[in-house]
PDB file of all heavy atoms in Angstrom:
ATOM      1  N   PHE G 279     -28.032   0.695   4.630  1.00  0.00           N
ATOM      2  CA  PHE G 279     -27.732   0.223   3.285  1.00  0.00           C
ATOM      3  C   PHE G 279     -26.239   0.324   3.005  1.00  0.00           C
ATOM      4  O   PHE G 279     -25.682  -0.503   2.278  1.00  0.00           O
ATOM      5  CB  PHE G 279     -28.512   1.015   2.241  1.00  0.00           C
ATOM      6  CG  PHE G 279     -28.236   0.567   0.835  1.00  0.00           C
ATOM      7  CD1 PHE G 279     -28.737  -0.642   0.368  1.00  0.00           C
ATOM      8  CD2 PHE G 279     -27.437   1.329  -0.007  1.00  0.00           C
ATOM      9  CE1 PHE G 279     -28.451  -1.085  -0.924  1.00  0.00           C
ATOM     10  CE2 PHE G 279     -27.156   0.907  -1.297  1.00  0.00           C
ATOM     11  CZ  PHE G 279     -27.661  -0.300  -1.763  1.00  0.00           C
ATOM     12  N   SER G 307     -32.577  -0.093   3.201  1.00  0.00           N
ATOM     13  CA  SER G 307     -32.783   0.178   1.785  1.00  0.00           C
ATOM     14  C   SER G 307     -32.463   1.635   1.539  1.00  0.00           C
ATOM     15  O   SER G 307     -32.711   2.481   2.393  1.00  0.00           O
ATOM     16  CB  SER G 307     -34.242  -0.106   1.399  1.00  0.00           C
ATOM     17  OG  SER G 307     -34.584   0.538   0.183  1.00  0.00           O
ATOM     18  N   ALA G 308     -31.930   1.945   0.376  1.00  0.00           N
ATOM     19  CA  ALA G 308     -31.669   3.340   0.015  1.00  0.00           C
ATOM     20  C   ALA G 308     -32.612   3.822  -1.072  1.00  0.00           C
ATOM     21  O   ALA G 308     -32.469   4.946  -1.559  1.00  0.00           O
ATOM     22  CB  ALA G 308     -30.226   3.515  -0.433  1.00  0.00           C
ATOM     23  N   SER G 309     -33.584   3.000  -1.454  1.00  0.00           N
ATOM     24  CA  SER G 309     -34.599   3.443  -2.409  1.00  0.00           C
ATOM     25  C   SER G 309     -35.557   4.374  -1.678  1.00  0.00           C
ATOM     26  O   SER G 309     -36.196   3.982  -0.701  1.00  0.00           O
ATOM     27  CB  SER G 309     -35.371   2.251  -2.975  1.00  0.00           C
ATOM     28  OG  SER G 309     -36.453   2.683  -3.769  1.00  0.00           O
ATOM     29  N   TRP G 310     -35.632   5.630  -2.126  1.00  0.00           N
ATOM     30  CA  TRP G 310     -36.531   6.584  -1.468  1.00  0.00           C
ATOM     31  C   TRP G 310     -37.945   6.305  -1.949  1.00  0.00           C
ATOM     32  O   TRP G 310     -38.318   6.632  -3.059  1.00  0.00           O
ATOM     33  CB  TRP G 310     -36.132   8.017  -1.780  1.00  0.00           C
ATOM     34  CG  TRP G 310     -36.876   9.000  -0.933  1.00  0.00           C
ATOM     35  CD1 TRP G 310     -38.106   9.514  -1.170  1.00  0.00           C
ATOM     36  CD2 TRP G 310     -36.438   9.548   0.309  1.00  0.00           C
ATOM     37  NE1 TRP G 310     -38.476  10.365  -0.161  1.00  0.00           N
ATOM     38  CE2 TRP G 310     -37.465  10.409   0.768  1.00  0.00           C
ATOM     39  CE3 TRP G 310     -35.288   9.411   1.083  1.00  0.00           C
ATOM     40  CZ2 TRP G 310     -37.355  11.127   1.964  1.00  0.00           C
ATOM     41  CZ3 TRP G 310     -35.192  10.120   2.255  1.00  0.00           C
ATOM     42  CH2 TRP G 310     -36.212  10.972   2.697  1.00  0.00           C
ATOM     43  N   GLY G 311     -38.746   5.679  -1.085  1.00  0.00           N
ATOM     44  CA  GLY G 311     -40.091   5.289  -1.478  1.00  0.00           C
ATOM     45  C   GLY G 311     -40.062   4.041  -2.334  1.00  0.00           C
ATOM     46  O   GLY G 311     -39.063   3.309  -2.416  1.00  0.00           O
ATOM     47  N   ASP G 316     -34.748   1.953 -11.815  1.00  0.00           N
ATOM     48  CA  ASP G 316     -33.365   2.311 -11.494  1.00  0.00           C
ATOM     49  C   ASP G 316     -33.023   2.142 -10.022  1.00  0.00           C
ATOM     50  O   ASP G 316     -31.859   2.277  -9.635  1.00  0.00           O
ATOM     51  CB  ASP G 316     -33.099   3.773 -11.890  1.00  0.00           C
ATOM     52  CG  ASP G 316     -33.169   3.993 -13.389  1.00  0.00           C
ATOM     53  OD1 ASP G 316     -32.853   3.051 -14.140  1.00  0.00           O
ATOM     54  OD2 ASP G 316     -33.549   5.107 -13.801  1.00  0.00           O
ATOM     55  N   ASP G 317     -34.033   1.865  -9.182  1.00  0.00           N
ATOM     56  CA  ASP G 317     -33.824   1.857  -7.737  1.00  0.00           C
ATOM     57  C   ASP G 317     -33.600   0.485  -7.124  1.00  0.00           C
ATOM     58  O   ASP G 317     -33.281   0.397  -5.930  1.00  0.00           O
ATOM     59  CB  ASP G 317     -35.032   2.498  -7.033  1.00  0.00           C
ATOM     60  CG  ASP G 317     -35.137   3.980  -7.285  1.00  0.00           C
ATOM     61  OD1 ASP G 317     -34.096   4.619  -7.539  1.00  0.00           O
ATOM     62  OD2 ASP G 317     -36.266   4.506  -7.262  1.00  0.00           O
ATOM     63  N   LYS G 319     -31.220  -1.390  -7.320  1.00  0.00           N
ATOM     64  CA  LYS G 319     -29.834  -1.519  -6.835  1.00  0.00           C
ATOM     65  C   LYS G 319     -29.671  -1.021  -5.409  1.00  0.00           C
ATOM     66  O   LYS G 319     -28.644  -1.265  -4.765  1.00  0.00           O
ATOM     67  CB  LYS G 319     -28.884  -0.759  -7.760  1.00  0.00           C
ATOM     68  CG  LYS G 319     -29.118   0.737  -7.843  1.00  0.00           C
ATOM     69  CD  LYS G 319     -28.110   1.376  -8.795  1.00  0.00           C
ATOM     70  CE  LYS G 319     -28.364   2.879  -8.967  1.00  0.00           C
ATOM     71  NZ  LYS G 319     -29.564   3.144  -9.795  1.00  0.00           N
ATOM     72  N   TYR G 320     -30.678  -0.310  -4.904  1.00  0.00           N
ATOM     73  CA  TYR G 320     -30.614   0.218  -3.543  1.00  0.00           C
ATOM     74  C   TYR G 320     -31.280  -0.696  -2.520  1.00  0.00           C
ATOM     75  O   TYR G 320     -31.424  -0.308  -1.346  1.00  0.00           O
ATOM     76  CB  TYR G 320     -31.279   1.592  -3.484  1.00  0.00           C
ATOM     77  CG  TYR G 320     -30.600   2.648  -4.328  1.00  0.00           C
ATOM     78  CD1 TYR G 320     -31.324   3.431  -5.219  1.00  0.00           C
ATOM     79  CD2 TYR G 320     -29.230   2.870  -4.227  1.00  0.00           C
ATOM     80  CE1 TYR G 320     -30.715   4.407  -5.979  1.00  0.00           C
ATOM     81  CE2 TYR G 320     -28.601   3.841  -4.988  1.00  0.00           C
ATOM     82  CZ  TYR G 320     -29.355   4.606  -5.863  1.00  0.00           C
ATOM     83  OH  TYR G 320     -28.742   5.578  -6.621  1.00  0.00           O
ATOM     84  N   ARG G 432     -39.740   2.843   3.422  1.00  0.00           N
ATOM     85  CA  ARG G 432     -38.719   3.887   3.256  1.00  0.00           C
ATOM     86  C   ARG G 432     -39.328   5.164   2.688  1.00  0.00           C
ATOM     87  O   ARG G 432     -38.977   5.632   1.622  1.00  0.00           O
ATOM     88  CB  ARG G 432     -37.596   3.377   2.356  1.00  0.00           C
ATOM     89  CG  ARG G 432     -36.280   4.133   2.488  1.00  0.00           C
ATOM     90  CD  ARG G 432     -35.744   4.105   3.878  1.00  0.00           C
ATOM     91  NE  ARG G 432     -34.292   4.208   3.929  1.00  0.00           N
ATOM     92  CZ  ARG G 432     -33.631   4.479   5.037  1.00  0.00           C
ATOM     93  NH1 ARG G 432     -34.287   4.690   6.168  1.00  0.00           N
ATOM     94  NH2 ARG G 432     -32.325   4.531   5.040  1.00  0.00           N
ATOM     95  N   TYR G 433     -40.343   5.686   3.419  1.00  0.00           N
ATOM     96  CA  TYR G 433     -41.020   6.936   3.071  1.00  0.00           C
ATOM     97  C   TYR G 433     -41.890   6.802   1.818  1.00  0.00           C
ATOM     98  O   TYR G 433     -42.084   7.756   1.067  1.00  0.00           O
ATOM     99  CB  TYR G 433     -40.009   8.081   2.907  1.00  0.00           C
ATOM    100  CG  TYR G 433     -38.936   8.081   3.959  1.00  0.00           C
ATOM    101  CD1 TYR G 433     -37.582   8.040   3.626  1.00  0.00           C
ATOM    102  CD2 TYR G 433     -39.274   8.081   5.318  1.00  0.00           C
ATOM    103  CE1 TYR G 433     -36.602   8.007   4.602  1.00  0.00           C
ATOM    104  CE2 TYR G 433     -38.293   8.054   6.301  1.00  0.00           C
ATOM    105  CZ  TYR G 433     -36.959   8.017   5.933  1.00  0.00           C
ATOM    106  OH  TYR G 433     -35.994   7.984   6.906  1.00  0.00           O
ATOM    107  N   ALA G 499     -31.566  16.348   6.203  1.00  0.00           N
ATOM    108  CA  ALA G 499     -30.829  15.221   5.629  1.00  0.00           C
ATOM    109  C   ALA G 499     -31.815  14.257   4.979  1.00  0.00           C
ATOM    110  O   ALA G 499     -33.027  14.454   5.023  1.00  0.00           O
ATOM    111  CB  ALA G 499     -30.008  14.522   6.711  1.00  0.00           C
ATOM    112  N   ARG G 500     -31.281  13.196   4.395  1.00  0.00           N
ATOM    113  CA  ARG G 500     -32.135  12.233   3.678  1.00  0.00           C
ATOM    114  C   ARG G 500     -32.757  11.268   4.672  1.00  0.00           C
ATOM    115  O   ARG G 500     -32.421  10.087   4.749  1.00  0.00           O
ATOM    116  CB  ARG G 500     -31.339  11.483   2.617  1.00  0.00           C
ATOM    117  CG  ARG G 500     -30.814  12.327   1.489  1.00  0.00           C
ATOM    118  CD  ARG G 500     -31.883  13.169   0.820  1.00  0.00           C
ATOM    119  NE  ARG G 500     -32.820  12.390   0.038  1.00  0.00           N
ATOM    120  CZ  ARG G 500     -34.078  12.759  -0.204  1.00  0.00           C
ATOM    121  NH1 ARG G 500     -34.565  13.869   0.317  1.00  0.00           N
ATOM    122  NH2 ARG G 500     -34.859  12.000  -0.933  1.00  0.00           N
ATOM    123  N   ASN G 501     -33.702  11.790   5.447  1.00  0.00           N
ATOM    124  CA  ASN G 501     -34.471  10.981   6.382  1.00  0.00           C
ATOM    125  C   ASN G 501     -35.747  11.741   6.717  1.00  0.00           C
ATOM    126  O   ASN G 501     -35.997  12.828   6.193  1.00  0.00           O
ATOM    127  CB  ASN G 501     -33.652  10.668   7.652  1.00  0.00           C
ATOM    128  CG  ASN G 501     -33.069  11.906   8.300  1.00  0.00           C
ATOM    129  OD1 ASN G 501     -33.689  12.959   8.330  1.00  0.00           O
ATOM    130  ND2 ASN G 501     -31.853  11.791   8.821  1.00  0.00           N
ATOM    131  N   TRP G 507     -38.193  18.180  -1.238  1.00  0.00           N
ATOM    132  CA  TRP G 507     -37.113  19.072  -1.651  1.00  0.00           C
ATOM    133  C   TRP G 507     -37.157  19.328  -3.149  1.00  0.00           C
ATOM    134  O   TRP G 507     -37.008  20.456  -3.602  1.00  0.00           O
ATOM    135  CB  TRP G 507     -35.748  18.468  -1.320  1.00  0.00           C
ATOM    136  CG  TRP G 507     -35.485  18.196   0.111  1.00  0.00           C
ATOM    137  CD1 TRP G 507     -36.263  18.528   1.190  1.00  0.00           C
ATOM    138  CD2 TRP G 507     -34.341  17.526   0.637  1.00  0.00           C
ATOM    139  NE1 TRP G 507     -35.670  18.109   2.354  1.00  0.00           N
ATOM    140  CE2 TRP G 507     -34.496  17.497   2.055  1.00  0.00           C
ATOM    141  CE3 TRP G 507     -33.204  16.965   0.077  1.00  0.00           C
ATOM    142  CZ2 TRP G 507     -33.543  16.910   2.887  1.00  0.00           C
ATOM    143  CZ3 TRP G 507     -32.265  16.384   0.904  1.00  0.00           C
ATOM    144  CH2 TRP G 507     -32.430  16.359   2.284  1.00  0.00           C
ATOM    145  N   SER G 652     -29.623  17.311  -6.485  1.00  0.00           N
ATOM    146  CA  SER G 652     -28.655  17.310  -7.581  1.00  0.00           C
ATOM    147  C   SER G 652     -29.199  17.987  -8.826  1.00  0.00           C
ATOM    148  O   SER G 652     -28.491  18.104  -9.823  1.00  0.00           O
ATOM    149  CB  SER G 652     -28.245  15.869  -7.915  1.00  0.00           C
ATOM    150  OG  SER G 652     -29.382  15.111  -8.266  1.00  0.00           O
ATOM    151  N   THR G 657     -37.787  13.988  -9.263  1.00  0.00           N
ATOM    152  CA  THR G 657     -37.552  12.725  -8.567  1.00  0.00           C
ATOM    153  C   THR G 657     -36.847  12.990  -7.251  1.00  0.00           C
ATOM    154  O   THR G 657     -36.219  14.043  -7.067  1.00  0.00           O
ATOM    155  CB  THR G 657     -36.698  11.774  -9.421  1.00  0.00           C
ATOM    156  OG1 THR G 657     -36.678  10.476  -8.821  1.00  0.00           O
ATOM    157  CG2 THR G 657     -35.269  12.258  -9.561  1.00  0.00           C
ATOM    158  N   ASN G 658     -36.951  12.054  -6.323  1.00  0.00           N
ATOM    159  CA  ASN G 658     -36.272  12.163  -5.037  1.00  0.00           C
ATOM    160  C   ASN G 658     -34.883  11.526  -5.095  1.00  0.00           C
ATOM    161  O   ASN G 658     -34.679  10.520  -5.786  1.00  0.00           O
ATOM    162  CB  ASN G 658     -37.103  11.493  -3.943  1.00  0.00           C
ATOM    163  CG  ASN G 658     -37.934  12.485  -3.154  1.00  0.00           C
ATOM    164  OD1 ASN G 658     -37.392  13.304  -2.418  1.00  0.00           O
ATOM    165  ND2 ASN G 658     -39.247  12.428  -3.309  1.00  0.00           N
ATOM    166  N   GLU G 659     -33.961  12.109  -4.358  1.00  0.00           N
ATOM    167  CA  GLU G 659     -32.633  11.529  -4.223  1.00  0.00           C
ATOM    168  C   GLU G 659     -32.742  10.228  -3.412  1.00  0.00           C
ATOM    169  O   GLU G 659     -33.674  10.052  -2.629  1.00  0.00           O
ATOM    170  CB  GLU G 659     -31.708  12.492  -3.482  1.00  0.00           C
ATOM    171  CG  GLU G 659     -31.708  13.921  -3.993  1.00  0.00           C
ATOM    172  CD  GLU G 659     -31.027  14.076  -5.339  1.00  0.00           C
ATOM    173  OE1 GLU G 659     -30.144  13.253  -5.651  1.00  0.00           O
ATOM    174  OE2 GLU G 659     -31.383  15.008  -6.071  1.00  0.00           O
ATOM    175  N   PRO G 660     -31.780   9.309  -3.544  1.00  0.00           N
ATOM    176  CA  PRO G 660     -31.791   8.090  -2.724  1.00  0.00           C
ATOM    177  C   PRO G 660     -31.698   8.413  -1.240  1.00  0.00           C
ATOM    178  O   PRO G 660     -31.307   9.518  -0.843  1.00  0.00           O
ATOM    179  CB  PRO G 660     -30.546   7.337  -3.208  1.00  0.00           C
ATOM    180  CG  PRO G 660     -30.218   7.910  -4.538  1.00  0.00           C
ATOM    181  CD  PRO G 660     -30.661   9.341  -4.490  1.00  0.00           C
ATOM    182  N   ALA G 661     -32.041   7.446  -0.418  1.00  0.00           N
ATOM    183  CA  ALA G 661     -31.978   7.605   1.041  1.00  0.00           C
ATOM    184  C   ALA G 661     -30.548   7.317   1.511  1.00  0.00           C
ATOM    185  O   ALA G 661     -30.276   6.369   2.249  1.00  0.00           O
ATOM    186  CB  ALA G 661     -32.965   6.666   1.712  1.00  0.00           C
ATOM    187  N   LYS G 662     -29.633   8.166   1.077  1.00  0.00           N
ATOM    188  CA  LYS G 662     -28.223   8.019   1.413  1.00  0.00           C
ATOM    189  C   LYS G 662     -27.685   9.372   1.860  1.00  0.00           C
ATOM    190  O   LYS G 662     -28.302  10.412   1.604  1.00  0.00           O
ATOM    191  CB  LYS G 662     -27.429   7.531   0.183  1.00  0.00           C
ATOM    192  CG  LYS G 662     -27.925   6.207  -0.379  1.00  0.00           C
ATOM    193  CD  LYS G 662     -27.236   5.845  -1.682  1.00  0.00           C
ATOM    194  CE  LYS G 662     -25.815   5.406  -1.474  1.00  0.00           C
ATOM    195  NZ  LYS G 662     -25.201   4.904  -2.737  1.00  0.00           N
ATOM    196  N   ALA G 663     -26.544   9.352   2.529  1.00  0.00           N
ATOM    197  CA  ALA G 663     -25.909  10.608   2.926  1.00  0.00           C
ATOM    198  C   ALA G 663     -25.699  11.477   1.694  1.00  0.00           C
ATOM    199  O   ALA G 663     -25.348  10.980   0.616  1.00  0.00           O
ATOM    200  CB  ALA G 663     -24.575  10.320   3.615  1.00  0.00           C
ATOM    201  N   ILE G 664     -25.943  12.781   1.852  1.00  0.00           N
ATOM    202  CA  ILE G 664     -25.908  13.677   0.706  1.00  0.00           C
ATOM    203  C   ILE G 664     -25.168  14.954   1.080  1.00  0.00           C
ATOM    204  O   ILE G 664     -25.275  15.454   2.197  1.00  0.00           O
ATOM    205  CB  ILE G 664     -27.357  13.979   0.229  1.00  0.00           C
ATOM    206  CG1 ILE G 664     -27.367  14.683  -1.117  1.00  0.00           C
ATOM    207  CG2 ILE G 664     -28.115  14.782   1.270  1.00  0.00           C
ATOM    208  CD1 ILE G 664     -28.752  14.772  -1.731  1.00  0.00           C
TER     209      ILE G 664
END
Side-chain angles (χ1 to χ4, degrees):
F279 180 73
S307 161
S309 173
W310 190 275
D316 294 330
D317 291 333
K319 62 180 177 287
Y320 297 130
R432 200 58 152 166
Y433 318 124
R500 295 307 289 153
N501 52 37
W507 299 354
S652 58
T657 190
N658 262 292
E659 311 289 333
K662 302 173 73 173
I664 191 170

